[in-house]
Amino acid sequence: MAVPQLVQAYNDLKKAFASRPPNLQKCGTLLAQLKISLLEAGLLFPGENLNKDDLVVTRDILEMGALWSIRTKDVPSFDRYFSQLETFYVDYASYLPPSTRQYCLQGLNLIRLLTQNRIADFHTKLESLPADALHENIYIKHPVNLERWLMEGSYSKVWVAREEAPAEEYKFFVDSLMGTIRNEIASCEEAAYESLPIRDAAALLFFPSQTDLIRFAQQRGWQVNPSTEMIIFAKKGEEKVEIPKQKMIVAALQYARELEQIV
């Protein structure tokens, strides 16, 4: 990586990313500059006969970009960075030294697939990983457990798993997953109950505070009664389906006459 500007921007990115807290705005600016430089150097979509050290630096930049995307809650950006990283994780796996961030990012991508309910893609990605990683690597075990608990309907375990996330970035996707779970539970509550105590509704929906529940209730169109501490669910009007009785009678009689003629 002989371009001085690229080397300087890479060093600046590492400093900004490693600072506590990370300077996300500066990271974003540097990443945009670096992607242009990598593209011009032919490293963003690498081909043959490239320097190994240059490829490692490129992979490192993309990994920081993927993590930066999660920290800024930019999911489409994460998808783009991870898509580019897969070339390095798959095509150059035997050529480059292992990355310390690889399993972390692969685990994040697995949870991302769960939030999109892309279960088939989730299992396809699992099959491409080493068998021992599924049981021993903390970054891969976490999404594997989440998927099993989702299939079992053990939503309380999914909620607890947020605090057991192997990296801070995992909590973002687990929160997104909990949003989907809450909406499913809320739909069941609306169908099963006319009302519920606020405390019970908060427990069922895994809200740590009643304020969060009330905000969610307003989004769903529920009525909150502070005096009785009850939530009244909005009932969707039942659709009236008109049955064409006259046409059905005529058709039945016609069918009977045809049967008589056959006999």
Side-chain angles (χ1 to χ4, degrees):
M1 194 165 288
V3 183
Q5 298 90 336
L6 200 157
V7 174
Q8 183 60 49
Y10 171 55
N11 290 330
D12 290 343
L13 175 63
K14 287 195 294 184
K15 290 178 182 177
F17 194 78
S19 63
R20 292 291 178 266
N23 190 334
L24 297 178
Q25 185 175 358
K26 186 176 182 180
C27 286
T29 302
L30 291 169
L31 283 165
Q33 296 172 1
L34 282 164
K35 288 190 77 172
I36 294 173
S37 299
L38 291 173
L39 188 60
E40 292 173 346
L43 290 166
L44 196 57
F45 303 99
E48 298 179 354
N49 303 320
L50 291 173
N51 182 278
K52 182 181 292 187
D53 292 337
D54 288 352
L55 291 174
V56 170
V57 169
T58 302
R59 184 183 66 186
D60 194 35
I61 292 170
L62 294 175
E63 288 176 336
M64 285 188 280
L67 292 171
W68 168 83
S69 300
I70 299 300
R71 292 174 184 179
T72 57
K73 301 182 180 181
D74 188 343
V75 177
S77 175
F78 171 79
D79 290 341
R80 290 192 295 271
Y81 274 110
F82 188 80
S83 177
Q84 292 167 330
L85 277 168
E86 285 196 295
T87 299
F88 294 86
Y89 293 158
V90 179
D91 299 342
Y92 290 89
S94 59
Y95 181 63
L96 299 178
S99 166
T100 56
R101 297 191 183 105
Q102 178 173 339
Y103 280 124
C104 175
L105 287 165
Q106 286 177 322
L108 281 169
N109 184 59
L110 287 171
I111 301 181
R112 166 65 171 152
L113 295 174
L114 287 178
T115 63
Q116 295 176 314
N117 201 29
R118 293 164 57 186
I119 305 302
D121 292 336
F122 176 88
H123 286 283
T124 300
K125 293 297 183 185
L126 280 184
E127 290 172 4
S128 67
L129 297 175
D132 57 343
L134 306 184
H135 307 288
E136 298 175 8
N137 188 280
I138 58 171
Y139 297 110
I140 305 301
K141 282 171 58 179
H142 193 264
V144 168
N145 287 335
L146 286 176
E147 193 266 345
R148 186 176 73 252
W149 294 331
L150 285 172
M151 295 301 102
E152 294 174 352
S154 303
Y155 298 144
S156 59
K157 292 182 180 179
V158 176
W159 173 246
V160 172
R162 183 189 186 279
E163 302 307 318
E164 299 173 352
E168 191 66 25
E169 290 80 8
Y170 277 56
K171 294 182 180 180
F172 170 72
F173 280 137
V174 175
D175 286 343
S176 177
L177 202 57
M178 285 305 303
T180 302
I181 290 171
R182 285 190 179 107
N183 282 318
E184 289 184 4
I185 295 173
S187 296
C188 293
E189 288 180 345
E190 290 170 343
Y193 304 103
E194 292 184 357
S195 63
L196 272 178
I198 290 177
R199 181 181 299 178
D200 293 348
L204 286 170
L205 292 165
F206 303 102
F207 280 117
S209 70
Q210 292 187 5
T211 303
D212 294 332
L213 171 65
I214 291 171
R215 190 182 302 116
F216 180 81
Q218 291 170 345
Q219 293 172 354
R220 300 280 304 191
W222 298 344
Q223 296 179 21
V224 181
N225 191 327
S227 60
T228 60
E229 296 188 347
M230 296 289 290
I231 284 183
I232 302 167
F233 299 114
K235 290 293 183 181
K236 297 179 181 179
E238 295 182 359
E239 296 183 359
K240 293 183 178 179
V241 180
E242 293 187 3
I243 301 174
K245 293 183 286 185
Q246 190 65 32
K247 291 182 179 179
M248 292 177 65
I249 292 171
V250 172
L253 291 172
Q254 180 65 28
Y255 181 64
R257 282 195 293 268
E258 291 177 359
L259 282 176
E260 287 178 357
Q261 291 175 3
I262 295 172
V263 175

